[in-house]
Amino acid sequence: MSLTLQQLNSADPAEALRLLDGLYEHSPWIAEQALTQRPFASLAALKHAMVTVLAHASVNAQLALIRAHPELAGKAMVSQSLTAESTHEQTRAGLTNCTPEEFAHIQQLNAQYNTRFGFPFILAVRGPRGMGLAKREIIATFERRLGNPVDFERAECLRNIHRIAEIRLNDKFGFEPVLGNEVWDWHEDLARHSDPGFAEQGQLTVTYLTDAHRACAADLVVRMRECGFDEVNIDAVGNVVGHYHAGPHPNPLPEGEGVKTLLTGSHFDTVRNGGKYDGRLGIFVPMACVKRLHAAGRRLPFAIEVVGFAEEEGQRYKATFLGSGALTGHFNPAWLDQQDADGVTMRAAMQHAGLPATLEAIGALRRDPSNYLGFVEVHIEQGPVLNEMDLPLGVVTSINASVRYLCEAIGMASHAGTTPMNRRRDAASAVAELALHAEQRAAADGDSVATIGMLQVPGGSINVVPGRCVFSLDLRAPSNAQRDALERDILGQLRAICERRGIGLKTEETMRAAAAPSAPAWQARWERAVAALGVPLHRMPSGAGHDAMKLHEVMPQAMLFVRGLNSGISHNPLESTTSDDMELCVNAFSHLLEQLATEHKH
Ligand SMILES: [Zn+2]
């Protein structure tokens, strides 16, 4: 028999403690202190109560808990002296089936780890989906975490301990994050498509209208139909658009005629060697909600339109937010003639994909905002904040303003041996000088950021003074005015540096996006949805740009963030989140839909 929350809430203290036995290795004090916060509104609330107890405990108490865990690689595993749960977890992970070489390697890592940190390596080996990490993932994680700073690694151990407890608690309560698991699996499945050159290396790269990109779109179409969307199509820029019509009855109401639509979605293209969840989570979460509605034979008094945006990252063409921009009428006609690195124009890429590639067809994608309630977007945080705070969800207050440039410094390529230092026109050194200035200037604001993420000396060689340097500039700040000041100063400095060094300069603005504060009423809906799950509310700005900032130009919008693992790393294959957090996100989205349904009753 599985434990119920009601049982736990009504049990006497000794019995309640017994019910939670074995959650944290030899440390019943965590459950004991958490239980003083009964009654718990949800399993998530109970989990968070235990997280809070440990967060407030002394470093010594935290270390004692970490040290109470058996070594993943140690003799304890061989001698089977672990608690039942641990043995179970490690069996699933396959660490008991090591080759002698693997076993020796793990022992060696373990010794290094103990020397460096003085506590055992803790890893929730059942992983983000609860199914068990592969042996190579465990070893790779072990290797990677050896490089962490000590304090950070202690916190990482505690996060893994919470994850172990979360899985044990799920088992105790017979709880399975069914929709979260499904959404997690959809990500895994979609990630099998990757562009050539990356696919072979096991890397995920999906750029605009490549074969892999079109395969993703085709998969999304099939998946949306399976979820029960009434209409699914690929539009003139390659967006995948699914409509779930309004009710009140299982028979759909036609759109228009006073029936409004909730717009939601995110992008399915990726950066090069990116993560599996960036963008895609914002497509799959509302799809899971529609699936649930459809399975229950339910319709809401408004339609739901989920868009998988074809292009957000600006990787193949300099056309960031192309997908969402098409919906707001901001497709730049000049983009069609833009060429990718292989000289393929966007027009040719569109034609190859079977799209009409006409401005007329693209112009027709523009949405009439009066038909829409607003736009909401779910996204993985892409930063360390929620992970550090041990919070699964965060409500976004505003998306930072940004501007991007592609630039070229043009000096004089000359002999590295014969050109005296005072006679050089070194393009790369000019950009290096700018990079240091940009770093200091952005840091001075406290909450601005400046990045030179691309820096190349085309055709450079070891014995030639760089004649050209091609580089990018990415500037972001919480308000338009702050961004503009940052941009003014950094570009001013760039011109001054180039002038002083006798360097020519070309700058091309490739993207400019205004700050996008969340619409208060929509932010409040997300806040109520998060509160209803029994997890603490955390409000935060978005440092990253998102499709919501395009839709912001024409309709109210608000975003919800989901915690990322591995310090919230993103634009990186280590990007990850758990199926438990995804389940919470699906439930938050469903709650938002129910709020809207109540507000818009016919
Ligand atoms: Zn994204």
Side-chain angles (χ1 to χ4, degrees):
M1 265 295 278
S2 293
L3 181 60
T4 66
L5 209 53
Q6 209 229 326
Q7 252 179 304
L8 183 72
N9 282 334
S10 57
D12 67 62
E15 171 67 2
L17 189 59
R18 195 194 60 77
L19 291 172
L20 294 187
D21 189 35
L23 283 184
Y24 287 88
E25 217 82 19
H26 311 299
S27 304
W29 57 273
I30 297 169
E32 191 172 10
Q33 287 181 37
L35 283 166
T36 62
Q37 294 173 46
R38 286 188 296 167
F40 298 110
S42 65
L43 203 50
L46 166 58
K47 289 172 185 173
H48 190 75
M50 294 192 290
V51 163
T52 308
V53 168
L54 194 53
H56 290 142
S58 68
V59 170
N60 280 340
Q62 294 174 348
L63 282 171
L65 172 66
I66 295 171
R67 293 194 177 113
H69 283 71
E71 291 194 332
L72 194 63
K75 282 180 185 159
M77 190 181 74
V78 176
S79 65
Q80 303 286 311
S81 69
L82 297 189
T83 60
E85 286 90 342
S86 290
T87 308
H88 176 56
E89 283 151 16
Q90 289 178 16
T91 304
R92 282 197 186 205
L95 268 195
T96 48
N97 299 315
C98 289
T99 64
E101 293 75 26
E102 281 168 341
F103 187 78
H105 183 46
I106 291 168
Q107 298 304 322
Q108 190 203 359
L109 288 170
N110 196 49
Q112 281 178 283
Y113 188 96
N114 285 339
T115 307
R116 176 153 158 67
F117 298 110
F119 49 78
F121 173 69
I122 312 283
L123 177 64
V125 289
R126 272 175 66 185
R129 168 68 164 84
M131 304 242 293
L133 295 171
K135 208 167 16 180
R136 59 175 169 75
E137 287 178 287
I138 296 173
I139 294 170
T141 307
F142 213 153
E143 289 166 344
R144 175 167 51 81
R145 280 174 46 186
L146 261 173
N148 280 340
V150 177
D151 285 352
F152 180 88
E153 182 54 21
R154 189 180 71 242
E156 190 67 8
C157 282
L158 294 179
R159 285 189 283 268
N160 275 276
I161 286 170
H162 287 309
R163 176 62 185 155
I164 293 166
E166 174 166 59
I167 292 170
R168 289 176 180 174
L169 201 61
N170 288 353
D171 289 347
K172 261 185 198 297
F173 278 77
F175 168 77
E176 202 191 327
V178 176
L179 280 172
N181 285 345
E182 191 163 22
V183 168
W184 202 95
D185 293 344
W186 290 347
H187 285 89
E188 204 61 22
D189 191 47
L190 197 65
R192 75 188 192 282
H193 304 297
S194 185
D195 287 350
F198 298 92
E200 298 81 352
Q201 299 173 63
Q203 297 179 353
L204 178 65
T205 301
V206 176
T207 59
Y208 188 50
L209 294 183
T210 59
D211 289 349
H213 185 274
R214 288 157 55 212
C216 286
D219 273 17
L220 285 172
V221 168
V222 171
R223 188 82 71 196
M224 282 187 182
R225 292 204 172 115
E226 284 170 359
C227 286
F229 283 79
D230 299 292
E231 287 170 44
V232 184
N233 67 288
I234 295 177
D235 74 15
V237 295
N239 294 328
V240 181
V241 185
H243 289 262
Y244 189 65
H245 294 316
H249 306 295
N251 299 328
L253 283 173
E255 282 174 43
E257 295 172 34
V259 175
K260 297 226 178 188
T261 300
L262 172 70
L263 189 62
T264 184
S266 194
H267 60 98
F268 64 89
D269 68 322
T270 75
V271 296
R272 297 191 174 88
N273 195 17
K276 295 171 185 169
Y277 308 97
D278 176 4
R280 295 158 177 211
L281 188 70
I283 308 169
F284 287 142
V285 165
M287 281 169 62
C289 292
V290 166
K291 182 177 177 172
R292 178 145 72 185
L293 287 170
H294 180 254
R298 282 191 65 203
R299 292 191 182 271
L300 302 176
F302 52 91
I304 303 170
E305 182 177 346
V306 181
V307 184
F309 293 112
E311 209 294 326
E312 190 259 13
E313 301 282 9
Q315 299 283 302
R316 183 173 176 188
Y317 297 99
K318 290 175 270 173
T320 311
F321 299 114
L322 180 155
S324 45
L327 270 60
T328 60
H330 290 103
F331 185 90
N332 180 352
W335 286 343
L336 284 178
D337 296 310
Q338 225 190 92
Q339 296 181 0
D340 70 2
D342 298 321
V344 180
T345 64
M346 187 185 290
R347 183 181 288 106
M350 284 179 162
Q351 285 163 346
H352 179 68
L355 304 177
T358 65
L359 290 175
E360 195 189 6
I362 294 167
L365 301 181
R366 183 177 187 159
R367 302 298 198 268
D368 178 353
S370 69
N371 294 332
Y372 289 90
L373 296 170
F375 179 78
V376 288
E377 182 176 358
V378 160
H379 207 283
I380 191 164
E381 182 203 335
Q382 303 187 278
V385 176
L386 293 173
N387 190 241
E388 259 175 42
M389 295 180 76
D390 291 310
L391 294 175
L393 301 171
V395 176
V396 176
T397 53
S398 175
I399 305 170
N400 283 354
S402 61
V403 64
R404 286 184 188 163
Y405 285 90
L406 282 178
C407 310
E408 184 175 357
I410 304 139
M412 178 62 74
S414 57
H415 196 294
T418 62
T419 317
M421 295 312 287
N422 62 0
R423 289 177 175 77
R424 293 183 177 209
R425 289 163 58 204
D426 183 331
S429 293
V431 180
E433 193 179 335
L434 175 76
L436 294 178
H437 170 78
E439 191 176 59
Q440 286 164 6
R441 173 60 185 81
D445 279 349
D447 50 5
S448 293
V449 287
T451 307
I452 296 181
M454 291 156 61
L455 189 102
Q456 289 158 353
V457 177
S461 81
I462 196 165
N463 57 355
V464 176
V465 175
R468 285 168 67 211
C469 183
V470 179
F471 64 103
S472 61
L473 257 183
D474 177 307
L475 311 175
R476 307 184 199 206
S479 72
N480 294 347
Q482 188 175 322
R483 174 208 54 194
D484 293 347
L486 179 73
E487 178 188 11
R488 214 167 31 242
D489 289 357
I490 289 177
L491 287 183
Q493 188 71 22
L494 173 60
R495 283 186 208 101
I497 291 167
C498 288
E499 193 154 313
R500 171 161 45 78
R501 289 170 169 268
I503 303 282
L505 178 67
K506 286 186 204 164
T507 58
E508 183 192 354
E509 183 185 310
T510 56
M511 197 271 274
R512 177 178 297 267
S518 299
W522 287 89
Q523 188 184 321
R525 289 186 188 101
W526 278 130
E527 290 175 2
R528 284 192 290 271
V530 170
L533 298 174
V535 295
L537 179 61
H538 179 69
R539 301 180 183 93
M540 60 194 299
S542 170
H546 296 292
D547 292 300
M549 66 200 290
K550 283 313 284 183
L551 276 307
H552 178 86
E553 294 166 14
V554 297
M555 62 180 80
Q557 61 79 26
M559 293 186 70
L560 181 70
F561 276 168
V562 180
R563 153 173 64 187
L565 301 180
N566 302 320
S567 246
I569 194 164
S570 187
H571 288 184
N572 186 299
L574 288 173
E575 181 187 85
S576 185
T577 183
T578 66
S579 60
D580 281 274
D581 287 359
M582 288 184 182
E583 175 94 0
L584 288 172
C585 187
V586 171
N587 288 337
F589 202 106
S590 290
H591 194 275
L592 179 130
L593 293 177
E594 297 300 337
Q595 290 179 54
L596 284 173
T598 308
E599 293 168 32
H600 292 269
K601 268 217 168 74
H602 286 292

